Amino acid sequence: MRVNYQAIRVIYKYEMLRAWNTLLQSVASPVISTSLYFVVFGAAIGSRIEEIDGVSYGVFIVPGLVMLSLLTQSIANASFGIFFPKFTGSIYEVMSAPISFFEIVVGYVGAAASKSLILGVIILLTANLFIDLNIAHPFVMVLFLVLTCVSFALFGFIIGLWATNFEKLQLIPMLVITPLVFLGGSFYSVSMLPPAWQTVTLFNPVLYLISGFRWSFFEVADVSVAVSLAMISLFLVVCLVLVWWMFKTGYRLKQ
Amino acid sequence: MKSIVKIEALSKVYASGHQALSRVDLEIRQGEILALLGPNGAGKTTLISIICGIVSASTGSVSVAGYDIVRDYRQTRDLIGLVPQELTLGAFDTVWNSVNFSRGLFGKSSDPAYLEQLLKDLSLWDKRDSELRELSGGMKRRVLIAKALSHEPRILFLDEPTAGVDVELRQDMWKMVRKLNDSGVTIILTTHYIEEAEEIADRVGIISEGRLLLVEDKQCLMQKLGTKQLLIELRQAIDAVPAALADYSLELSADRYHLVYTYDTQSERTGITSLLQALHGTGLSLKDLKSSQSSLEQIFVSLVSAK
């Protein structure tokens, strides 16, 4: 099978360049917002909160903070990357090029995932300035990082294809993702909730992500790490199937 | 001549129910300049979009250089360059990056020398570092052409290339089209300006309401369907067409010095001889005779309205 590597390369490069051109927004803003979270939750409020499962509060929130940025940025990057050419009409070029849908996805999603991966590392480094960060299982941590970046970039790509206007583009990140992240235990342990709400929280897919990711740092988790991995893999598969279906039907691209 | 694009029984019905094309058959010859002529909404853009892979056909098939556009899309698209009708460009990338991006999309390794020459030919070299959103409409059109040519296509589609384009760019564009054509590139352009088709095309296809009404060599078309007019200039003004000439349905011009006789070059007898004899009989004195061919525009209007 012939693969148009050159096309994947230029799409990837083009998308990465877009981040480079908006470096301030891409890098400075997450660094600043992470720092702010640390000032507020770590130093100001955190000092008055007891340790959670033997981990000080300022340290406890790090994995949640990283996930918060990763999820929102993966989706934002990938959805905008495919939505904007659709919006300007310049997508005609990609569609008339000798390139398969698979290659288009690899280019756009690969770039978006890479960007959030870099972002995740930057946030961890920033966090390291405020607290002493020990990672118990570095390999598992990286695995969670990569899986999250890729699957949510895929999800963002789907949103970008689905959205027919800027409002729709913002709709799911604002109304679905942000609440799920905040209610998924980014800033607290599920065990701190009343029992009824603990059960409700188990239906939040983001909980599994944050829990598993936190386990890789502190070996402290709300659900077992195997379940977490299974859930994120399931999400990845669902996104892949959706993208495959979009490809088959030419959804929102081909009339 | 060998055909390079073969379109068979191609139909397209959009999800809205609009039938954009109905059973179009067309062979595009290698190395020709084909103009697809038709009013807005005739289906020209849909036809091009299907060949280029932007719209999928409802029924029918298209092959390019023997390859099917769906099954062997990589081979067919390798050969094709498309200049779209709308100024659909990104906003924040530079001209140079944009054309390099296009070349890469088509799987070609970078070739700065070729792209430099291309931008120079299109008077874009000075603008290579400008962002696309800063360019004027005419410049954007040039960039679209550069992008379409960036991968050295063998077939170039120009969709309404002169819509909103000034005289200078139009001249440049035709020069470029002729040059490309001389180097063997097959050119298909759509237009609703008849003069354009007349000026540049080897063959003309006429589309109306999704149907390809005819495809003919331009010369042939004009000869075949063309009526001619014989302009008879008189020495003295007359008030009315003499009764003896009533059979010829002559028109008297407003200045009353000219009689206009319209005849069909196709018919066996043009009626010119008998008209002249009849004229002689009326005793009118002639100053001059002039014949003129009908333009493609007249042919077009008569075809579309005859349908």
Side-chain angles (χ1 to χ4, degrees):
Chain A
M1 198 185 87
R2 186 178 132 184
V3 178
N4 191 344
Y5 292 107
Q6 194 70 24
I8 297 176
R9 203 179 65 85
V10 291
I11 292 177
Y12 185 88
K13 206 176 118 189
Y14 182 88
E15 284 298 298
M16 294 305 274
L17 200 69
R18 205 159 55 79
W20 183 252
N21 290 338
T22 52
L23 200 62
L24 203 67
Q25 193 196 329
S26 317
V27 176
S29 83
V31 170
I32 290 172
S33 64
T34 309
S35 307
L36 287 175
Y37 275 111
F38 274 113
V39 171
V40 175
F41 291 112
I45 301 175
S47 55
R48 300 190 177 203
I49 299 178
E50 313 167 24
E51 291 191 343
I52 302 173
D53 300 327
V55 181
S56 80
Y57 188 68
V59 178
F60 180 84
I61 62 170
V62 172
L65 271 180
V66 174
M67 278 294 162
L68 176 67
S69 294
L70 235 53
L71 257 55
T72 47
Q73 288 299 314
S74 298
I75 292 175
N77 263 320
S79 62
F80 191 77
I82 188 71
F83 176 79
F84 197 63
K86 239 178 44 166
F87 177 73
T88 61
S90 59
I91 191 82
Y92 83 89
E93 196 179 22
V94 176
M95 292 171 64
S96 61
I99 173 170
S100 68
F101 191 77
F102 172 74
E103 289 154 359
I104 296 175
V105 172
V106 171
Y108 281 104
V109 172
S114 306
K115 280 188 271 187
S116 13
L117 199 61
I118 294 169
L119 184 72
V121 173
I122 291 175
I123 293 174
L124 282 177
L125 290 176
T126 311
N128 205 34
L129 296 176
F130 292 89
I131 50 161
D132 202 12
L133 206 57
N134 288 310
I135 303 167
H137 302 279
F139 176 74
V140 179
M141 188 210 76
V142 171
L143 184 68
F144 266 104
L145 268 184
V146 172
L147 275 175
T148 305
C149 289
V150 171
S151 46
F152 280 82
L154 259 176
F155 187 56
F157 187 83
I158 292 166
I159 292 174
L161 272 184
W162 165 77
T164 43
N165 54 42
F166 276 98
E167 197 196 356
K168 278 187 176 175
L169 193 66
Q170 303 291 348
L171 203 67
I172 290 181
M174 293 267 284
L175 293 184
V176 180
I177 300 300
T178 308
L180 286 184
V181 176
F182 274 89
L183 299 176
S186 304
F187 300 108
Y188 55 85
S189 166
V190 176
S191 58
M192 293 156 80
L193 296 174
W197 285 106
Q198 287 190 26
T199 313
V200 172
T201 306
L202 288 178
F203 288 97
N204 181 353
V206 177
L207 166 81
Y208 297 88
L209 269 183
I210 294 174
S211 168
F213 193 53
R214 189 172 284 142
W215 179 85
S216 72
F217 285 80
F218 318 124
E219 295 186 307
V220 168
D222 292 320
V223 291
S224 106
V225 65
V227 174
S228 289
L229 268 178
M231 286 300 276
I232 177 75
S233 305
L234 179 71
F235 185 64
L236 181 64
V237 169
V238 169
C239 289
L240 282 173
V241 169
L242 259 175
V243 162
W244 176 82
W245 172 80
M246 286 175 150
F247 163 60
K248 276 288 163 203
T249 55
Y251 179 78
R252 289 277 159 89
L253 275 183
K254 264 197 180 186
Q255 290 163 305
Chain B
M1 219 187 282
K2 232 179 88 186
S3 75
I4 190 157
V5 178
K6 221 179 248 178
I7 298 164
E8 281 173 63
L10 193 68
S11 297
K12 173 67 187 178
V13 183
Y14 283 106
S16 62
H18 172 63
Q19 174 118 27
L21 292 175
S22 23
R23 295 193 68 81
V24 170
D25 291 290
L26 172 65
E27 287 198 17
I28 299 168
R29 297 170 185 163
Q30 184 156 10
E32 74 171 334
I33 300 179
L34 174 70
L36 292 172
L37 190 61
N40 290 328
K44 306 184 296 284
T45 301
T46 300
L47 180 61
I48 287 188
S49 301
I50 291 174
I51 303 172
C52 294
I54 296 169
V55 172
S56 34
S58 301
T59 53
S61 69
V62 180
S63 69
V64 177
Y67 295 106
D68 181 75
I69 56 157
V70 178
R71 201 182 52 236
D72 313 312
Y73 68 96
R74 289 194 201 260
Q75 280 87 345
T76 64
R77 293 184 197 176
D78 270 346
L79 298 169
I80 295 175
L82 166 67
V83 182
Q85 181 176 351
E86 309 284 338
L87 297 175
T88 43
L89 282 170
F92 304 108
D93 33 351
T94 64
V95 172
W96 182 247
N97 285 343
S98 185
V99 291
N100 272 287
F101 176 75
S102 302
R103 190 177 166 86
L105 270 187
F106 281 77
K108 295 250 178 175
S109 52
S110 70
D111 185 348
Y114 170 75
L115 291 181
E116 179 178 340
Q117 191 53 49
L118 182 63
L119 291 190
K120 281 179 176 163
D121 289 346
L122 284 161
S123 314
L124 279 172
W125 184 241
D126 296 339
K127 300 269 181 196
R128 63 187 178 279
D129 295 322
S130 302
E131 287 187 9
L132 296 172
R133 64 191 165 132
E134 299 165 350
L135 300 177
S136 67
M139 282 296 166
K140 282 182 178 159
R141 179 76 59 186
R142 286 171 197 260
V143 174
L144 287 172
I145 299 172
K147 283 165 83 69
L149 294 174
S150 66
H151 65 282
E152 301 159 71
R154 302 306 298 155
I155 306 167
L156 181 66
F157 286 92
L158 295 152
D159 196 2
E160 303 276 354
T162 51
V165 154
D166 63 12
V167 180
E168 193 196 347
L169 176 53
R170 190 185 313 221
Q171 295 306 328
D172 282 2
M173 200 141 64
W174 291 157
K175 232 189 281 171
M176 181 128 206
V177 164
R178 289 209 174 85
K179 204 175 112 186
L180 283 166
N181 190 240
D182 287 342
S183 72
V185 177
T186 306
I187 306 218
I188 297 97
L189 58 96
T190 72
T191 180
H192 54 258
Y193 298 118
I194 284 126
E195 313 83 62
E196 279 182 15
E198 204 165 350
E199 187 184 339
I200 196 146
D202 299 320
R203 284 202 308 160
V204 178
I206 294 180
I207 298 189
S208 178
E209 292 174 18
R211 284 168 204 284
L212 189 63
L213 300 179
L214 67 90
V215 192
E216 286 275 1
D217 282 345
K218 184 179 67 185
Q219 307 298 341
C220 202
L221 178 68
M222 291 173 65
Q223 232 165 41
K224 193 165 142 189
L225 287 159
T227 52
K228 277 188 129 184
Q229 292 189 320
L230 184 68
L231 188 72
I232 303 154
E233 195 178 341
L234 306 170
R235 281 203 187 281
Q236 282 128 20
I238 53 172
D239 291 325
V241 178
L245 303 176
D247 290 346
Y248 299 93
S249 49
L250 298 178
E251 281 171 66
L252 182 62
S253 67
D255 66 1
R256 299 184 294 122
Y257 274 96
H258 296 86
L259 287 167
V260 182
Y261 173 55
T262 307
Y263 61 98
D264 190 347
T265 52
Q266 282 292 89
S267 63
E268 215 166 291
R269 288 162 177 276
T270 57
I272 294 174
T273 319
S274 61
L275 171 66
L276 289 178
Q277 278 165 352
L279 268 170
H280 183 70
T282 60
L284 289 172
S285 159
L286 309 186
K287 191 177 176 189
D288 196 9
L289 286 174
K290 215 163 41 181
S291 79
S292 62
Q293 183 109 30
S294 59
S295 69
L296 202 47
E297 171 138 21
Q298 289 157 312
I299 298 174
F300 179 72
V301 169
S302 70
L303 250 181
V304 172
S305 57
K307 214 176 59 71

